Structures are given as structure tokens and as C-alpha cells.
Amino acid sequence: MSDVLILNGRVVDPASGIDEARDLLLRDGKIAALDKPGSLKNIEAAETIDASGLVVAPGLVDVHVHLREPGQTYKETIATGTAAAAAGGFTTVVAMPNTMPVNDSVAGLEWMLSPQRGAVVKLFAMPAATMGSMGATLTDFAALHKAGALGFTDDGKPILEDAIMREALIAAARLGVPISQHAEDTHLTGGCSMNAGPVAFRLGLRGMTIEAESRIVERDIRLLREIEKSEHLRPHLHVQHISTGRALEAIREAKRQGLHVTCEAAPHHFTLTDEAIGDYDTNAKMNPPLRAEADRQAVLAGLADGTVDCIATDHAPHAAHEKEQEFERAPNGITGLETALGLALRVLHRAQGLSLSKILSLMSTSPAAIVSLADRGSLAVGSIADVVVFDPAAQWNFAAKDSRSKSKNTPFDGASMLGRVHATVSEGRIVFRQ
């Protein structure tokens, strides 16, 4: 593999605490050198990136994306979804299992991860925790883990039965991987299409209460405590796209008690409220829904104080004809891989004052650690050569029509962004360059 030099940049590596000018040499897919400026000037590389005025950071890691292949390739393919990831600075993504058919077998997992799918960046997957994501019978955790599963989830179909969730947490704990849970008590959300509150009342829509999320989080935390006591295991619960202050408080308390619980927040939940739905804008419809300002503030506080462990996009492409129908009938979900960094820098860095290192940790080091990718999320010598180079001061407006994704369903079409990706390097290969 050819050498790549990245020179004259400001290296921000949260894992090693570096925030200073450094030059970087990538060789054979690994970080080969990270030296003072000018130290690598005599090396002849096949590619050189001049990062003057730019930030050089570990490639971003997203533990929650939907790539729709197999089964719904009119929305997205693994190739197009990972191309969008590269454009957004992501070098590693973890695909959810709600494909058609559901990814619940070794054959399905191996098919998805095959080089023939044309992934532009590194692709991992979390297969279904239960067969068909039906919440009844566990999949073969051991065989799937051996084939590359980073964890298990039924994603948009939460595991509601206590006994099944307990069984899943125990089986995953024995393999040292997380159960990633979409926290929604669907007994409380039938017919609901947005957040419960004044906006839903004005629009005449049924709304999801905050209890629908917090009940499942509180139940799962109780199961963690019981399993630690009875089985002497340490199960890892990862809560997806947390959206309410009440659920965050339960997680905060669980962390205080030493339980192994992590959670993610999505950029749309720390940027928008349910007011963004306006007059039935289906591009602002997702699950969990956009919440009220008090819950958005709670997510921001959780990101700042460490209760929220990472940022994940929940990239969920849908075709235009699927979104262009009555609000209640339109599917949940928005795209997000190309807007995550720009929103994080605009909202968390400029408006909330979080440091660049903190934001990059939330988007690289921490998500890599959640799924035990020890050689990613860092620029330490010997790590996988996953790098993003971006201008932290660039202000621009996102245009959905220019997206690499097949789908354009985003509430951020035309929205202002802070920070623009100049280059993305995945395992030593330049996969995106502005």
C-alpha cells in the first residue's frame, strides 16, 4: 500500500491528548509516524495532503446507521451509504439489522460484510438480537460474534419481554459485547407519530410521551443490576439515540452506581425541537421524535457532563415518494452522515462551548471504545490509518441535492454548518477529497 503524508495540520487526538501541530505518515494502512512539523519532509509519498490551517483527527466512528441493503436498495446501498459516510468524515460505520431480510444469520452477516458490497469505508454490523427482530428467540450470538458481530440489537423493534432481554444481556455479556436497545415501550406509542406536547396538539396528532422511552431504560437498568447480582456477570447496555431528560437521568444514576451502561445522542436531537415539524414536514419525522426544548437542553447537558458517551447519526434514508405522503403514514427517519460534524461543531462547539477535543472524542474515540475497536478512534502510532482532515472554521450550507446518499430526506437542507471535511482516509486510502 502506498504512503500518504499529511503535513502542516493541527492534530487533535483525544485518545492521546495531543492538540498541536504535527505531521502524519500513513503506511500499509497504519499510522506509521506522528512527528513534529518538518520531521517527515524527506519522505517521498504517493499522496500528500497539505493540512495547513486544518484539523487532522481520528476518522469518525458511527455506531448506528441504516444502509438498507439487502432489500431496499432503492433507498440506499452499502456503497452509496458509505460514500456519504466518507464525505462526512466517517471512516467506520456500524450497520443496523433492519434490512430485508433481517440480518439475523451468519450467512446474512457475511454477505453484508463482503468486499463485493463495495463499502467505501470500514463496515461493521450489529445483527439482530432475536430471530427476525421479533423479540422471541435469540439469534446464535456465539456464531455471529465469531463472524464479526460487534454487538446485538433489534433496533427499531425494542425487546419488550423482560425474560428475553435478560437472556440477551447475559449471552452478550459472556461474549463481551453490548446489547444496543431502541428504548421505546411500544405499548404506549401505538398510533403516535411525533412527540407529545403542544405542537402535537396543534397538529391534531397523537404524541409519544417521555415515559415511553424512560420506562424501557429504567427496566433495562434494573435488569443489569439483577444480572450482576445473580449471575456475577457485567452486561453492557447501550441505549440508542437518547432523547429525553428523564431517561438521561436514569442513565446518569446507573453510571453513578457503576453499572455498564452507555448511550448515544443524535445530532437532530441536540439541534432541533418538535417545532421543526412546522406544518407536517415529514423530513422532521423520526423515532424517537424531536422533543421539546427542555429535553433538547437535557441532551446538551448530558453531552457536556459525560452522561452521553457518543454521537451517532441514526442515518435512515427513505425515498422521496415514501416521505411525500400524510405525516402519520410517512416512515420515520432522516439521513445524517454528511451533516453530523457540521452540526456538532455549530451547536456543541460554537454555541455550547464544548472543546474540539471533546466533540472529536464523542465522534471517534468513545464510539470506537463502546464496540471494542481498540485500534480505531486514535492517531497513535500503530493504529489503523483512519483520518479526517477538516476546516473547523468553514461556514457553509448543506444542500441535500449534492448528497452522496441515494436519499435526500433531511430537515437540514439549506441549514448552516460549521466545519467542512477536506479529506477522509480509511485504512490508509484517501476515500474522499474536497
Side-chain angles (χ1 to χ4, degrees):
M1 188 175 289
S2 302
D3 289 354
V4 177
L5 277 172
I6 304 175
L7 305 178
N8 311 312
R10 172 190 170 190
V11 169
V12 181
D13 182 16
S16 57
I18 294 174
D19 185 350
E20 62 183 25
R22 294 283 183 97
D23 288 345
L24 206 59
L25 172 64
L26 315 181
R27 176 173 290 165
D28 297 328
K30 298 286 185 66
I31 307 289
L34 180 64
D35 289 339
K36 298 292 184 184
S39 303
L40 306 175
K41 63 183 179 182
N42 295 324
I43 292 177
E44 292 187 8
E47 299 265 10
T48 298
I49 298 173
D50 181 2
S52 300
L54 307 177
V55 166
V56 180
L60 308 183
V61 178
D62 192 341
V63 297
H64 189 160
V65 302
H66 302 268
L67 299 180
R68 307 303 192 199
E69 187 176 6
Q72 295 181 311
T73 53
Y74 65 96
K75 303 184 188 203
E76 194 76 286
T77 66
I78 287 170
T80 59
T82 52
F90 289 92
T91 54
T92 302
V93 296
V94 180
M96 296 294 103
N98 62 333
T99 49
M100 297 175 67
V102 171
N103 179 17
D104 61 4
S105 68
V106 170
L109 177 60
E110 290 178 341
W111 185 93
M112 182 180 288
L113 300 182
S114 167
Q116 293 178 325
R117 302 289 83 76
V120 176
V121 301
K122 184 63 180 178
L123 173 65
F124 291 99
M126 279 196 190
T130 66
M131 297 302 298
S133 290
M134 298 303 289
T137 305
L138 291 193
T139 54
D140 188 341
F141 279 22
L144 287 163
H145 182 248
K146 188 177 180 181
L150 295 186
F152 299 93
T153 179
D154 279 353
D155 189 53
K157 294 184 176 178
I159 302 174
L160 296 180
E161 295 296 327
D162 286 17
I164 299 299
M165 186 61 180
R166 187 178 193 279
E167 189 181 347
L169 285 166
I170 289 172
R174 289 184 171 133
L175 296 170
V177 298
I179 292 294
S180 184
Q181 174 84 300
H182 169 109
E184 176 189 353
D185 187 341
T186 53
H187 297 113
L188 302 178
T189 58
C192 297
S193 55
M194 65 172 296
N195 181 53
V199 180
F201 183 79
R202 174 175 66 80
L203 296 175
L205 298 171
R206 285 178 59 86
M208 300 184 195
T209 63
I210 58 175
E211 288 80 10
E213 180 174 87
S214 62
R215 275 193 189 184
I216 295 298
V217 171
E218 291 161 1
R219 187 281 309 261
D220 289 348
I221 289 171
R222 173 176 58 80
L223 290 175
L224 291 183
R225 194 178 295 113
E226 291 173 359
I227 291 168
E228 284 204 4
K229 187 175 181 180
S230 63
E231 305 294 327
H232 305 295
L233 293 169
R234 185 167 166 74
H236 177 187
L237 169 70
H238 179 72
V239 182
Q240 299 178 342
H241 39 47
I242 197 81
S243 68
T244 65
R246 181 162 170 173
L248 271 163
E249 189 51 43
I251 292 170
R252 189 174 284 115
E253 179 58 28
K255 286 173 180 270
R256 286 195 197 104
Q257 295 176 8
L259 296 171
H260 195 183
V261 54
T262 56
C263 70
E264 67 192 37
H268 43 272
H269 286 129
F270 64 67
T271 302
L272 302 175
T273 68
D274 52 3
E275 296 283 355
I277 292 171
D279 290 325
Y280 307 98
D281 181 359
T282 59
N283 283 327
K285 182 184 179 186
M286 68 283 292
N287 188 8
L290 295 173
R291 300 288 187 178
E293 177 63 14
D295 286 309
R296 189 183 80 91
Q297 290 295 329
V299 172
L300 288 170
L303 285 158
D305 71 12
T307 304
V308 176
D309 300 89
C310 73
I311 293 170
T313 67
D314 191 15
H315 176 82
H318 292 292
H321 72 269
E322 294 173 314
K323 282 290 194 178
E324 291 174 355
Q325 56 181 321
E326 297 90 338
F327 191 87
E328 290 170 295
R329 294 171 58 87
N332 291 305
I334 64 170
T335 60
L337 285 163
E338 292 163 280
T339 51
L341 181 62
L343 292 172
L345 293 177
R346 191 192 88 190
V347 177
L348 303 180
H349 183 50
R350 184 170 64 186
Q352 298 294 317
L354 268 64
S355 70
L356 205 53
S357 180
K358 170 71 173 177
I359 292 168
L360 290 169
S361 178
L362 287 163
M363 300 185 76
S364 61
T365 311
S366 184
I370 287 170
V371 290
S372 301
L373 297 176
D375 52 359
R376 298 177 191 270
S378 169
L379 295 180
V381 172
S383 299
I384 300 291
D386 288 348
V387 185
V388 59
V389 181
F390 65 94
D391 181 350
Q395 299 188 60
W396 58 290
N397 295 93
F398 178 69
K401 67 180 178 56
D402 297 329
S403 172
R404 272 74 175 172
S405 171
K406 272 192 172 184
S407 296
K408 316 301 177 190
N409 53 303
T410 171
F412 298 112
D413 189 19
S416 63
M417 301 282 152
L418 179 65
R420 188 152 208 177
V421 175
H422 275 237
T424 305
V425 184
S426 174
E427 300 186 338
R429 299 172 294 109
I430 299 175
V431 293
F432 174 80
R433 203 160 186 174
Q434 187 75 331

